[in-house]
Amino acid sequence: MKTVTTYLDTRGLGHGNHTFTDVVVTGIAPGGGLFVPESLPHLTLPEILAFSAMPYWRRAAAVFTRCGVDLPSDRIDLLMRQAYGAQWSDERIAVIEEVVAGMHVLELWHGPTSAFKDMALQCMPQFFSEAISRKQEREELSDDILILVATSGDTGKAALDGFADRPHTRIVVFYPVNGVSDIQRLQMVTQQGDNVAVFGVRGNFDDCQSAVKEAFADEEFRFWLHTHAGVRLSSANSINWGRLMPQIVYYVSAYADMVASGGVVAGEPMDVCVPTGNFGNILGAYYAREMGVPIGRLICASNENNVLADFIATGVYDISDRDFVTTPSPSMDILISSNLERLLYHLAGPEAVRGWMGELAQNKRFQIDRETFKTMREFMVGDYVSNDESLATVKRVFDETGYLMDPHTAVAWEVAERTHDHNPMLVVSTAHWAKFGADVLRALYAVPYAAPLPAELDELSGVDVLAKVQEIAPTAALVPRALAELDSAKVRFASTVDSGRDGIVAVVEDWLS
Ligand SMILES: *Cc1c(COP(=O)(O)O)cnc(C)c1O
């Protein structure tokens, strides 16, 4: 009989005994903390290296099984075959390219929505619907689940694709009408599936997110959902442990592939550099390191919203006097980096975390103690890249190597170059360039971030922009078919709503009726 891992929470307020499927369905821990595993498995070097001969789904199943997921192994195998199957454009799933000697790019965007969010969101909904059907069988739960998502771009589409037609789940996504790119909007409003809906919110991302939060907190709405539609609310955001666990897999997998290709000597360390927003992706690397993967330094790359780079440099997390900046890497535009709380828990324990999170809520600032700071600095490095620097990096790397990267990846590449020493470097690439085609075009024409494009380029629609980039950058990865065909895809969701709780509640009730 295999052992089942139980989960604790970062603020020490829960009463334990949650299993993996519990924490996936529950999302956030009671008391506002985040779920963390009570223990991690240790993977031996031969065990890690054996991954290179396995298909990706089997690598994922091996990690999930070793991490004590409370499902039978054959069931985990089946779910992972579905998560990492034919919907990926490359059967290797997490693909490594050595772009210049010693600098390797880990491409995490071969999934159906062309962004790294697919790595987790093709996987987590499988566990979600499995967990719900088991709970319903045991009569611990009668309702199905309604996922509400407020998105500034990548998460909405990846969540729609992951949950589409998944049993026992429905999903409604809200995006700011004026806050997502052409491509991102088209990707969402053309989504297939009987259990999905998408609405534009007249306002910016903050309006959108606050309205969804208000709906979540609304008892009357929850009661209506339960009695009239047989659903209860849940969320799929990146603090859900079900999104983190799949992100451990690709670091184990990458190390095995790096050894197999001669990029690193077995047992020797590689460094990883991750373009970071909510700290989820880089936390996957932290856990892989804790589980025995030879990772040297974890390098955290930020854009102009550089609260994390400052924190790693000083031990002070301070948003009291910090404005939100817009950047060409919008998926990293964040002030409160939620998953950092999990790292702090592992370094300093629940009492310390409770104190720091209290200070953050009250004073918009906290400072970690010297001991914790010292421990963190033994393996974490941070730096940031300005808007114009990130676009210049896209162009420079393309001119020098023929490899075209998106602006998020460029942030990590630039920081990786600055920090690269004797260890092989793994630069994590989080989006296909075509998802951010307009800014990539700007980069290739050396137009600064805030300046207008030349008139003849400015007129191009989303999909024409991609064709233009492909024309001037013939060595770039091809535009994924799903993106190239967006202009001719049928728009299923054209409605917009006013921001605020009332608008959102009304359209959800109407959709479910
Ligand atoms: C979400 C996202 C990130 C940030 O990842 P975190 O796990 O939030 O740190 C970076 N790049 C892209 C393209 C993303 O979609």
Side-chain angles (χ1 to χ4, degrees):
M1 186 58 207
K2 65 176 194 168
T3 46
V4 166
T5 300
T6 53
Y7 286 78
L8 305 170
D9 77 84
T10 48
R11 301 189 190 177
L13 298 173
H15 11 72
N17 275 356
H18 303 279
T19 63
F20 176 78
T21 54
D22 291 335
V23 304
V24 169
V25 174
T26 312
I28 194 152
L34 309 183
F35 287 116
V36 279
E38 194 182 6
S39 62
L40 291 169
H42 180 78
L43 306 177
T44 64
L45 188 60
E47 207 178 346
I48 296 166
L49 300 184
F51 272 39
S52 68
M54 300 177 193
Y56 192 87
W57 70 263
R58 203 180 269 289
R59 305 179 192 195
V63 170
F64 277 87
T65 304
R66 291 287 265 108
C67 285
V69 165
D70 55 324
L71 291 172
S73 303
D74 57 344
R75 201 65 203 163
I76 297 177
D77 284 356
L78 181 80
L79 299 180
M80 291 307 93
R81 272 177 189 273
Q82 288 167 3
Y84 301 109
Q87 72 273 42
W88 294 74
S89 69
D90 190 308
E91 64 179 14
R92 294 170 293 174
I93 312 291
V95 179
I96 301 179
E97 294 278 349
E98 185 168 13
V99 173
V100 299
M103 297 268 292
H104 306 255
V105 173
L106 175 63
E107 298 176 346
L108 299 179
W109 39 257
H110 293 279
T113 81
S114 307
F116 115 92
K117 302 284 191 290
D118 287 332
M119 296 301 304
L121 279 166
Q122 286 296 304
C123 182
M124 180 245 212
Q126 312 270 353
F127 286 111
F128 221 100
S129 80
E130 180 77 14
I132 295 160
S133 84
R134 280 169 188 258
K135 283 187 188 300
Q136 291 183 351
E137 264 166 39
R138 294 197 302 257
E139 297 186 353
E140 292 167 17
L141 181 73
S142 58
D143 286 344
D144 279 352
I145 297 290
L146 173 66
I147 310 271
L148 291 188
V149 180
T151 184
S152 58
D154 289 351
T155 303
K157 176 60 183 182
L160 285 165
D161 202 283
F163 280 100
D165 293 329
R166 203 70 29 246
H168 306 295
T169 66
R170 277 176 252 190
I171 176 167
V172 184
V173 169
F174 296 93
Y175 69 91
V177 171
N178 299 322
V180 301
S181 77
D182 231 18
I183 298 278
Q184 287 175 321
R185 183 183 51 80
L186 282 171
Q187 277 190 300
M188 289 189 274
V189 299
T190 56
Q191 176 66 43
Q192 301 288 307
D194 290 336
N195 62 338
V196 309
V198 179
F199 296 95
V201 172
R202 292 187 282 270
N204 61 23
F205 176 59
D206 270 346
D207 301 327
C208 192
Q209 193 167 37
S210 334
V212 169
K213 276 194 183 151
E214 281 172 49
F216 262 96
D218 188 329
E219 288 301 327
E220 204 181 314
F221 178 49
R222 284 175 176 265
F223 184 72
W224 187 95
L225 290 173
H226 173 66
T227 51
H228 287 73
V231 294
R232 78 174 196 193
L233 287 180
S234 189
S235 84
N237 58 25
S238 80
I239 54 173
N240 191 306
W241 179 259
R243 281 186 61 180
L244 263 169
M245 197 119 117
Q247 298 179 178
I248 301 172
V249 177
Y250 51 76
Y251 290 103
V252 187
S253 165
Y255 188 79
D257 286 341
M258 286 280 282
V259 171
S261 71
V264 65
V265 175
E268 295 293 312
M270 66 178 182
D271 290 342
V272 301
C273 184
V274 187
T276 303
N278 218 7
F279 211 77
N281 195 348
I282 196 167
L283 195 66
Y286 169 78
Y287 283 115
R289 189 177 185 276
E290 290 296 295
M291 285 162 57
V293 178
I295 294 175
R297 294 175 301 165
L298 301 177
I299 303 164
C300 173
S302 302
N303 63 21
E304 289 189 13
N305 294 295
N306 60 352
V307 60
L308 280 170
D310 281 354
F311 172 71
I312 294 164
T314 62
V316 180
Y317 195 97
D318 190 348
I319 53 169
S320 62
D321 190 23
R322 195 178 270 277
D323 288 328
F324 185 89
V325 187
T326 60
T327 73
S329 40
S331 303
M332 298 158 67
D333 290 345
I334 211 153
L335 289 178
I336 298 200
S337 198
S338 313
N339 272 304
L340 179 64
E341 181 169 341
R342 284 193 165 105
L343 177 70
L344 296 176
Y345 167 85
H346 292 296
L347 300 181
E351 285 80 33
V353 168
R354 218 160 47 226
W356 295 330
M357 294 302 128
E359 285 173 45
L360 182 63
Q362 207 164 20
N363 309 326
K364 297 189 184 292
R365 167 185 204 284
F366 66 89
Q367 175 162 21
I368 60 176
D369 61 277
R370 282 174 80 98
E371 197 58 30
T372 305
F373 181 61
K374 195 163 151 271
T375 315
M376 178 178 78
R377 296 278 297 195
E378 282 161 14
F379 60 88
M380 288 277 313
V381 176
D383 200 355
Y384 78 99
V385 174
S386 75
N387 289 349
D388 288 339
E389 279 171 325
S390 68
L391 295 187
T393 301
V394 170
K395 179 166 168 56
R396 180 172 54 81
V397 177
F398 175 72
D399 290 344
E400 287 170 9
T401 70
Y403 187 86
L404 187 63
M405 54 182 60
D406 97 291
H408 300 76
T409 309
V411 167
W413 180 276
E414 176 65 28
V415 169
E417 275 194 336
R418 291 181 197 162
T419 46
H420 191 193
D421 58 16
H422 45 275
N423 286 347
M425 177 72 76
L426 189 72
V427 179
V428 177
S429 175
T430 49
H432 191 293
W433 65 262
K435 271 214 88 154
F436 299 94
D439 280 322
V440 169
L441 187 63
R442 188 180 294 280
L444 293 175
Y445 277 84
V447 177
Y449 176 62
L453 277 169
E456 77 276 13
L457 298 176
D458 207 28
E459 285 166 3
L460 298 177
S461 81
V463 175
D464 292 338
V465 165
L466 305 187
K468 186 75 192 170
V469 173
Q470 195 91 72
E471 182 192 315
I472 56 179
T475 55
L478 295 180
V479 177
R481 176 159 342 139
L483 297 185
E485 290 174 351
L486 274 178
D487 275 352
S488 51
K490 186 167 170 285
V491 172
R492 295 185 64 210
F493 305 102
S495 314
T496 58
V497 296
D498 281 333
S499 65
R501 174 254 175 222
D502 293 354
I504 279 182
V505 165
V507 290
V508 171
E509 291 186 355
D510 187 50
W511 178 65
L512 289 169
S513 299

